Amino acid sequence: MEFLQQLINGLAQGSIYALIALGYTMVFGVLRFINFAHGDVYMLGAFAGFYIGPKMLHAFSDKPGFGVLVSMLIVAMILCAIIGIAIEWLCYRPLRDRPKITVLITAIGVSLFLSNGGQYVFGADPKSFPEILTDSYLSLPESWGRVSELGIQLSAAISMGITLILLFALRHIVLHTKMGMAMRALSFNPVAASLMGINISIVIAFTFGLGSALAGAAGILTSIQQPSIDPLMGVNAGLKAFVAAVLGGIGNLPGAALGGLLIGIIETMVVGYISPTYRDAIVFGVLILILLFKPTGLLGASEQEKV
Amino acid sequence: MRGKLVLLATLLLCGVFSHFSGGMNPYYYDILIGIGINIILATGLNLVNGYTGQFSLGHAGFMAVGAYLSSWLTLNYGYSLGASATMTTAFFVIALFLGGAGAAVTGLMVGFPSLRLRGDYLAIVTLGFSEIIKGIIQNSEPLGAQRGLGGMVQHTNFFWTFAFAALTVYVVVSLVNSTYGRGFLAVKDDEIAAEAMGINTTKYKVIAFVLAAFFAGIAGGLFAHFKQFVHPEGFNFIKSIDIVVMVILGGMGSTVGVCLAAVLLTILPELLRYVSKIEALPEWLREISENRMILYSLLLIILMLTRPQGLFGVSLAKKK
């Protein structure tokens, strides 16, 4: 029974990683590079919630509830999308034809700038996130026997539900809209895509916006579960989500979601059954094993290197 | 031959200077030793990130291995050769080399699996490995775990620091001008073409990586025996970034540039600390100068946008 409980906790944590991992994977799909700053966009999402939360609560006559959460999610997602597009516009676009390593260093620079600039602007001490949802513990009725020991925090259940909705929305965008088709074409073959009249710049900006919006949503959804946020929270979560993206097969959307859930479960199991001090080391260990034995990830297809 | 003469002359100069450095202002002495250690770290890392065109983001991990291993040796066996000053110093030098060797072995273990990967992946994997090394130290009681390790005798002085710095620069320059150097450059310029020409790219990458790790280990040992205290958090991600910034600012693949950048970036935080105390300056400027990472990150971005070859680097042929 304890195992099942850990599994539920792991899924809740993993759904956050899945949302962030999707951003890594989408950007990798269209640009073939890892956006190191992505984890910090997630942090900015949480801080956007921190600053607009009280105002939003006020607009809803100080009653915490689902309405506040949804409207905050929308605002944070829009803000993060704008930030993501701005980062791409200012820092990555001028470097599009340069060697990969230049872009990589820039991405590290952007990530450092956001996390340290965040420490300067927001203050380095952890902030407590406003209570926009009255949290409670949900458990099964006792008449169900042993199963009733299982339970979940309301906030975790809601955030898993919202994650699921966002995943289906993303699936719809990627598979059934014109922009989604353009994204897939671009990741399949950039040159051919541009010859077919696709405006590559707009598609890339859209991809950054979409990925950053998901990261922003993840920022809010984490904060309602663990209401202590700080400017460096994005670094660790970003790295783990990146591992999740690689585990699922980078560039592959269902893979990122699957990888996120798996990493969440692995992490929770390690904390529950081995020791919390090995939490980060194990995740990196998973990354190294994956890269050694199946670099394409669980669902990724192998890609021929062109000379 | 000329190189060896220059090396000898430098060592001699170090010895003479070291003899007179006793009466120096301790603050400046501290900065000076810091410069020497950073030169070792940065020129070593330049082999990997500069000449070979890979991207290691975990150099602090190797520094930690060297620092802890050599400290553990001198703390536990420091007097095994004899208690006289000469003998303990001799043991210190042996411990330094063993620390370097330990770091090199770690580098080999890290390098073999991860150097098959490219660019972005390598950066994350090396970062991951350095976090794992830090985690192991934090969980190991004989190394002081979370409390840190202290009580080493201060063996590091001006002579040893700059002698090893000179040695590092000498080895790197000689290596780069040899067959190996051509191999490194070939790997950097075009890995596929290099492989087609029969160059064992993995071999060259591993050699560069292991050597860089060795020098980082030596630098770690010198650092530990200067500060007489080491702490796992002292070898975190930020430390790795510090070294990477030196290599990038100096120009990846330019030893002179990287040495200059190491000097510059060791003095810069001290200057910033000074600036942050000038009361005539506006508040925000003083606060920003207290946080050097904001400036470093801006420096990285602006440098990549305007001058990706670094301040002193040679412009590279445009890659298609």
Side-chain angles (χ1 to χ4, degrees):
Chain A
M1 220 27 64
E2 197 203 332
F3 180 79
L4 278 179
Q5 182 63 53
Q6 297 281 15
L7 199 66
I8 294 174
N9 297 347
L11 282 174
Q13 179 63 49
S15 64
I16 302 285
Y17 290 150
L19 281 180
I20 312 176
L22 282 166
Y24 277 110
T25 256
M26 279 194 286
V27 167
F28 188 88
V30 295
L31 277 182
R32 293 282 177 274
F33 101 99
I34 295 162
N35 179 17
F36 263 90
H38 192 62
D40 298 286
V41 174
Y42 152 84
M43 176 273 290
L44 288 177
F47 270 92
F50 174 75
Y51 284 108
I52 56 175
K55 292 197 183 69
M56 225 27 125
L57 266 176
H58 195 68
F60 279 80
S61 56
D62 290 321
K63 280 202 197 83
F66 199 65
V68 190
L69 175 65
V70 171
S71 44
M72 257 176 75
L73 266 178
I74 293 171
V75 176
M77 284 172 78
I78 293 172
L79 276 178
C80 283
I82 293 171
I83 293 168
I85 292 172
I87 292 174
E88 196 271 329
W89 190 277
L90 291 172
C91 302
Y92 302 148
R93 180 157 304 188
L95 297 174
R96 204 167 285 162
D97 300 323
R98 301 269 191 82
K100 282 269 160 60
I101 202 123
T102 315
V103 191
L104 173 67
I105 295 167
T106 313
I108 293 173
V110 174
S111 164
L112 285 173
F113 179 71
L114 290 180
S115 53
N116 289 287
Q119 282 190 319
Y120 170 69
V121 176
F122 307 134
D125 50 319
K127 302 268 184 301
S128 74
F129 198 76
E131 194 188 358
I132 50 170
L133 196 73
T134 326
D135 213 349
S136 59
Y137 191 74
L138 306 176
S139 54
L140 294 167
E142 273 186 35
S143 54
W144 289 24
R146 286 198 60 209
V147 192
S148 63
E149 289 166 28
L150 294 179
I152 186 169
Q153 216 57 41
L154 175 67
S155 56
I158 287 183
S159 83
M160 280 160 80
I162 291 179
T163 304
L164 207 62
I165 295 170
L166 288 176
L167 289 184
F168 274 102
L170 180 71
R171 185 186 143 86
H172 177 79
I173 291 175
V174 172
L175 291 182
H176 300 295
T177 64
K178 229 172 175 178
M179 202 44 124
M181 200 195 273
M183 275 167 66
R184 281 181 289 146
L186 188 56
S187 82
F188 194 69
N189 188 336
V191 180
S194 76
L195 289 176
M196 294 300 129
I198 293 173
N199 187 336
I200 289 194
S201 293
I202 287 178
V203 178
I204 290 175
F206 180 78
T207 311
F208 264 86
L210 202 57
S212 304
L214 291 179
I220 300 278
L221 293 179
T222 321
S223 310
I224 58 169
Q225 297 175 55
Q226 293 142 1
S228 167
I229 58 174
D230 66 276
L232 295 183
M233 66 191 272
V235 178
N236 213 348
L239 283 172
K240 284 188 184 149
F242 168 76
V243 176
V246 176
L247 176 63
I250 197 146
N252 182 306
L253 293 184
L258 176 68
L261 293 179
L262 283 178
I263 290 290
I265 292 169
I266 292 171
E267 199 184 73
T268 317
M269 293 292 169
V270 168
V271 173
Y273 289 107
I274 305 174
S275 156
T277 44
Y278 286 110
R279 184 186 199 148
D280 298 347
I282 289 280
V283 174
F284 282 116
V286 168
L287 172 70
I288 289 156
L289 287 179
I290 282 286
L291 290 178
L292 282 181
F293 295 110
K294 200 167 183 331
T296 51
L298 295 176
L299 301 183
S302 79
E303 195 174 301
Q304 217 80 44
E305 184 128 9
K306 294 191 190 96
V307 182
Chain B
M1 196 60 221
R2 223 184 86 220
K4 276 181 193 141
L5 280 179
V6 173
L7 178 66
L8 267 179
T10 318
L11 290 184
L12 210 67
L13 248 162
C14 288
V16 173
F17 193 88
S18 184
H19 197 71
F20 295 106
S21 67
M24 218 176 147
N25 179 338
Y27 177 61
Y28 293 129
Y29 189 64
D30 197 288
I31 296 177
L32 211 55
I33 299 287
I35 288 176
I37 290 174
N38 281 335
I39 287 179
I40 302 177
L41 287 168
T43 40
L45 184 65
N46 195 20
L47 270 181
V48 179
N49 287 20
Y51 291 109
T52 319
Q54 305 301 306
F55 202 85
S56 164
L57 205 54
H59 217 48
F62 301 121
M63 194 184 167
V65 172
Y68 272 94
L69 186 57
S70 61
S71 306
W72 184 77
L73 285 170
T74 52
L75 281 175
N76 290 300
Y77 306 101
Y79 299 108
S80 53
L81 290 180
S84 70
T86 335
M87 278 303 147
T88 49
T89 307
F91 187 82
F92 159 65
V93 177
I94 295 171
L96 273 187
F97 273 106
L98 287 177
V105 171
T106 321
L108 193 67
M109 291 193 309
V110 176
F112 249 120
S114 51
L115 285 168
R116 300 196 320 208
L117 312 163
R118 286 168 199 207
D120 313 18
Y121 283 108
L122 184 66
I124 302 247
V125 170
T126 46
L127 169 63
F129 266 115
S130 79
E131 288 296 311
I132 291 176
I133 291 173
K134 205 179 86 186
I136 292 173
I137 294 172
Q138 276 171 339
N139 285 306
S140 129
E141 233 5 86
L143 296 178
Q146 304 268 21
R147 300 182 306 277
L149 187 65
M152 288 76 84
V153 181
Q154 194 181 39
H155 284 297
T156 304
N157 57 15
F158 186 88
F159 175 73
W160 290 118
T161 310
F162 280 87
F164 275 110
L167 194 71
T168 310
V169 172
Y170 173 73
V171 171
V172 168
V173 169
S174 314
L175 199 70
V176 167
N177 289 327
S178 71
T179 329
Y180 287 102
R182 303 294 134 196
F184 295 157
L185 290 178
V187 171
K188 174 191 184 166
D189 283 345
D190 194 328
E191 223 173 301
I192 298 168
E195 212 152 324
M197 296 320 246
I199 288 170
N200 186 345
T201 50
T202 308
K203 183 181 117 186
Y204 284 104
K205 284 195 268 183
V206 170
I207 288 174
F209 202 72
V210 167
L211 263 174
F214 175 78
F215 289 126
I218 299 263
L222 286 166
F223 174 80
H225 288 89
F226 182 69
K227 296 282 180 195
Q228 296 168 276
F229 178 75
V230 280
H231 191 269
E233 282 304 323
F235 304 102
N236 58 8
F237 178 51
I238 304 285
K239 181 75 202 166
S240 298
I241 292 285
D242 272 355
I243 313 169
V244 167
V245 173
M246 283 172 202
V247 173
I248 292 169
L249 180 72
M252 291 174 281
S254 152
T255 304
V256 182
V258 167
C259 287
L260 285 175
V263 176
L264 209 66
L265 288 179
T266 320
I267 300 175
L268 187 68
E270 305 302 326
L271 275 183
L272 289 177
R273 194 169 304 161
Y274 177 73
V275 168
S276 69
K277 284 189 185 121
I278 304 175
E279 289 191 6
L281 290 174
E283 185 69 26
W284 62 271
L285 197 68
R286 285 168 55 194
E287 268 181 47
I288 283 186
S289 51
E290 264 176 24
N291 192 341
R292 72 173 192 287
M293 289 314 279
I294 296 183
L295 290 176
Y296 278 20
S297 55
L298 276 178
L299 193 72
L300 278 183
I301 300 171
I302 293 169
L303 212 59
M304 283 303 115
L305 288 172
T306 55
R307 203 177 152 78
Q309 71 271 31
L311 287 186
F312 310 100
V314 217
S315 176
L316 303 168
K318 223 178 194 168
K319 226 175 176 180
K320 273 275 154 69

